[in-house]
Amino acid sequence: MFDQLNNFLGWRTTDELKEDFILLKDGGPSFIEAPFLLHHFISFFLRSGHKVVLASLEQTPPYYVVSGSKIGCNLEREISEGNLEVVDLLGSSLDEYLSLNEDKSNSSTLKDLYQKLQAMTWKVLIIDDISLLLNLGHNENDVINFLHYLHVLSRKKGGCLITLLHHTVDCDSALYRKCERLATLTIEVKGLGTGFSKDVHGNLSAVKRDISNNASVQRKTSKQFKLTDRTLHIFAAGTSTAVL
Amino acid sequence: MKRTTFTKKSGKGASGVVIPGTHPSLHNGLLLVSTGIPSLDVVLGGGLPVGSIMMVEEDLFGRFSKIILKYYLAEGVMCNHSLFVASFEDKNEEILTQLPKPVTKDILTGSKTDDMKIAFRYRDLSTATNSLDAPPKYGHYYDISRTMDKIDYEHCGITTLNLNKLIRSTLNKLNTIASDIQHTAPKSIVAKTKLNIIRAAIPGLGSPLWCENTEDNVSSIARFLHALRALARNSLMTCVVTVPTHLYTPHQVNVIRHMVDCSIELESFSKEKTNPVFSQFHGLIRLKKLPCLNSLVPFIPQSLDLGFELKKTKFQIKCLHLPPDMSDGAAESDGKTQKSPCDSNTLHRKLDF
């Protein structure tokens, strides 16, 4: 859990679950992209005491365990206690790939996945990441429907849905716009316009949207950040320790 | 939970299993293998992590990407790893006959500089070099003009695959090799088991021999790489694929890049069109994605502007720099009358410190 990020968002672990749909997105290709935020949210929600389910397409479970231990969260213990459940979709995709003779219809795999997630009990569902479903060849409409069903499901449970949009998803695509529309909190990680720098890894900005009152959108000022192996440093633009 | 991505326990005692040809990373707890090119290992932070896939984005004619792949396989022979090559070439064994021969250590250690009498304080410091030369504790240097003989690589377990139909058969074959007991990442360290690494090399993935560059095929390549990633993470395998990305649109290249862990782009120079600034390089290397397994931040090398030069005994990656500026004012006289140096016309030319 990154403390500075909590301060930036104005969150505390004792708070109630306010957000409905958290969207993490990349502003463009860079060496350091949005996935590091996922580890923060995993440990934050576990620390707050909610049940978390992580559907991982991008990496295998040990990756999350090791990265979680770097920011001070013992995920192995959480799994054994039942607070965290990891659905290893990457591993099962290998079996699916090898066993298929021809491509079976992709929408049925999404349906199976939805039913599997529906059967589990959770408060927070994290999907890593939804843009990967598009890259793997699923129909965009199927992915949008899948997301919509999950959103309705999480609203019913009074929980929260977190997902990540990689920069390969076009800004004009229907999935991108749907995610932006649904999100109550959008955090964007963008590299510097002038190229990669070792001291300032990029810009971090957050947009909060109030669902009860559709017109109310609150933007946080964009800050710059530097990610080290253990922590995230957030500072106002131009006040990096390398510059001062 | 089983630790399928193999991280080496920091045990110096007998409980640590040592896999030949691997070494632990200095930055995180990962196990690394050498890519066969020591300066590339320096750029990647020590080497390629076990369980990752590296993509080499081919240059225009694929010359240097093929050479990089040969170095990778030659390193596997030197370290006794199992090799796997899948390509559309008719005779896969040909790539094996073209592996460069390793250079013996004597040629490498250059003559020591004479004992310095005046600047003796600098005697122990290494000479300033621009190239990323790590003392190759873990890698080898290869002589590209000589090839390995068959006896050199016979001892390795080598599997080749000629692909005529689907990409799927590659993964099937690789899966059967990976499920062999010596290649699976162990759940717990047992001192007795002999473990080994598989080095998989897939040249020309996505080239016109495989498929046309349509959207459907891009997603089938992406699916293949996704399943390959799952296989690599669950076994002791590293994989290098070369993809001719210049045939695809930038968006499609982004999609393929998303599926691999590490990506470098090669741009080679042709003799006629080279910018004179790059006269000593054979091409440029651009890092597009750096491996970030088991950590939040990838290892970022000192300099991101890199060029490479292929010498007989070294594939050298150097930081980009301008060639020394030889002023050409000394050559011209051209029959012009000698003017005094303080004359305003000649001031900038004659007074050159």
Side-chain angles (χ1 to χ4, degrees), chain B residues 16 31-32 57 64 72 93 110 140 175 190 196 237-238 242 257 274 302 313 322 351:
Chain B
L31 206 56
L32 305 174
E57 302 185 20
F64 291 102
Y72 176 71
E93 286 68 33
H140 298 88
N175 192 26
V190 176
N196 204 357
M237 180 166 97
T238 53
T242 70
R257 220 179 262 153
T274 325
Q302 197 61 323
T313 51
L322 295 173
L351 292 179

Side-chain angles (χ1 to χ4, degrees), chain A residues 31 39 57-59 62-63 70 90 93-94 97-98 100 103 132 135-136 166 168 196 198 227-229, chain B residues 4-5 168 171 175 222-224 226-227 229-230 233 251 254 258-259 287 292 294 296-297 300-302:
Chain A
F31 289 128
H39 305 293
L57 264 176
E58 181 86 30
Q59 305 283 358
Y63 168 76
K70 298 220 163 154
L90 183 61
S93 84
L94 173 65
Y97 192 85
L98 291 176
L100 293 177
D103 299 284
L132 202 56
N135 292 345
L136 291 176
H166 196 248
T168 48
F196 183 74
K198 278 199 188 177
L227 183 64
T228 61
D229 210 28
Chain B
T4 47
T5 310
R168 227 173 278 279
L171 215 51
N175 192 26
R223 265 199 302 270
F224 168 74
H226 193 233
R229 179 193 269 188
R233 297 279 201 269
H251 177 257
N254 267 335
H258 185 197
M259 295 298 170
L287 300 170
C292 187
N294 280 9
L296 295 168
V297 198
I300 316 253
Q302 197 61 323

Side-chain angles (χ1 to χ4, degrees), chain B residues 137-300:
Chain B
K137 285 181 276 184
Y138 306 115
H140 298 88
Y141 287 106
Y142 297 93
D143 185 348
I144 197 92
S145 61
R146 296 156 68 202
T147 53
M148 274 192 197
D149 308 312
K150 193 155 190 191
I151 37 168
D152 292 330
Y153 60 79
E154 250 176 358
H155 58 86
C156 271
I158 305 183
T159 320
T160 58
L161 186 62
N162 186 349
L163 303 160
N164 275 317
K165 286 173 192 160
L166 307 163
I167 315 178
R168 227 173 278 279
S169 49
T170 318
L171 215 51
N172 257 316
K173 195 75 193 276
L174 196 51
N175 192 26
T176 45
I177 303 175
S179 39
D180 182 15
I181 193 70
Q182 60 168 328
H183 295 136
T184 41
K187 297 179 193 182
S188 57
I189 313 283
V190 176
K192 292 284 171 61
T193 49
K194 253 187 69 179
L195 298 169
N196 204 357
I197 306 259
I198 308 176
R199 287 183 181 238
I202 306 180
L205 177 67
S207 71
L209 286 174
W210 284 74
C211 55
E212 292 174 11
N213 50 349
T214 57
E215 277 299 326
D216 281 341
N217 287 325
V218 169
S219 53
S220 71
I221 292 175
R223 265 199 302 270
F224 168 74
L225 288 172
H226 193 233
L228 183 63
R229 179 193 269 188
L231 184 59
R233 297 279 201 269
N234 290 333
S235 55
L236 296 170
M237 180 166 97
T238 53
C239 191
V240 173
V241 295
T242 70
V243 180
T245 48
H246 50 88
L247 297 174
Y248 292 90
T249 65
H251 177 257
Q252 291 169 334
V253 173
N254 267 335
V255 168
I256 301 177
R257 220 179 262 153
H258 185 197
M259 295 298 170
V260 297
D261 299 304
C262 174
S263 171
I264 61 175
E265 184 185 356
L266 295 177
E267 182 188 324
S268 58
F269 301 141
S270 57
K271 288 257 157 101
E272 304 86 35
K273 297 179 196 166
T274 325
N275 192 336
V277 158
F278 296 136
S279 55
Q280 42 182 301
F281 296 106
H282 284 144
L284 300 177
I285 287 190
R286 285 186 207 108
L287 300 170
K288 293 293 184 183
K289 193 169 180 183
L290 292 168
C292 187
L293 273 70
N294 280 9
S295 65
L296 295 168
V297 198
F299 169 78
I300 316 253

Side-chain angles (χ1 to χ4, degrees), chain A residues 19-235:
Chain A
E19 305 295 340
D20 207 31
F21 185 109
I22 301 180
L23 176 68
L24 308 170
K25 56 180 186 166
D26 281 324
S30 159
F31 289 128
I32 297 189
E33 295 173 349
F36 70 88
L37 290 170
L38 281 174
H39 305 293
H40 164 84
F41 286 113
I42 296 174
S43 70
F44 179 84
F45 287 119
L46 283 172
R47 202 73 75 83
S48 314
H50 301 293
K51 263 206 83 181
V52 179
V53 166
L54 169 65
S56 75
L57 264 176
E58 181 86 30
Q59 305 283 358
T60 47
Y63 168 76
Y64 298 105
V65 171
V66 174
S67 305
S69 67
K70 298 220 163 154
I71 50 177
C73 183
N74 190 346
L75 289 182
E76 285 200 21
R77 192 192 57 195
E78 304 281 354
I79 292 174
S80 54
E81 285 176 9
N83 294 329
L84 170 68
E85 213 177 313
V86 184
V87 180
D88 186 9
L89 296 170
L90 183 61
S92 59
S93 84
L94 173 65
D95 301 322
E96 262 181 46
Y97 192 85
L98 291 176
S99 61
L100 293 177
N101 283 324
E102 351 171 306
D103 299 284
K104 77 178 183 191
S105 92
N106 282 320
S107 55
S108 60
T109 51
L110 285 179
K111 266 192 221 156
D112 296 334
L113 182 57
Y114 171 71
Q115 274 157 5
K116 187 172 185 179
L117 292 172
Q118 193 182 31
M120 293 192 225
T121 51
W122 44 268
K123 237 348 167 69
V124 178
L125 174 64
I126 304 180
I127 302 185
D128 179 18
D129 61 61
I130 201 128
S131 46
L132 202 56
L133 289 173
L134 274 187
N135 292 345
L136 291 176
H138 288 98
N139 196 353
E140 194 172 23
N141 281 329
D142 290 338
V143 178
I144 294 177
N145 286 335
F146 175 67
L147 189 64
H148 182 81
Y149 272 75
L150 282 178
H151 187 231
V152 168
L153 183 62
S154 78
R155 288 281 282 269
K156 245 195 275 180
K157 293 187 193 244
C160 179
L161 184 61
I162 305 177
T163 185
L164 180 66
L165 270 186
H166 196 248
H167 60 80
T168 48
V169 176
D170 201 14
C171 295
D172 293 328
S173 71
L175 177 64
Y176 188 93
R177 284 198 231 128
K178 170 92 180 178
C179 287
E180 288 238 293
R181 189 96 209 285
L182 285 179
T184 52
L185 173 66
T186 309
I187 304 183
E188 180 173 7
V189 172
K190 197 170 183 175
L192 291 177
T194 44
F196 183 74
S197 154
K198 278 199 188 177
D199 302 298
V200 179
H201 288 156
N203 284 317
L204 198 66
S205 60
V207 177
K208 272 197 195 170
R209 173 202 222 103
D210 195 356
I211 37 173
S212 53
N213 178 6
N214 252 327
S216 130
V217 171
Q218 184 190 55
R219 271 166 222 279
K220 298 248 183 242
T221 45
S222 160
K223 303 243 183 196
Q224 291 179 337
F225 72 94
K226 176 180 167 168
L227 183 64
T228 61
D229 210 28
R230 304 245 163 214
T231 57
L232 176 68
H233 300 283
I234 299 184
F235 38 86

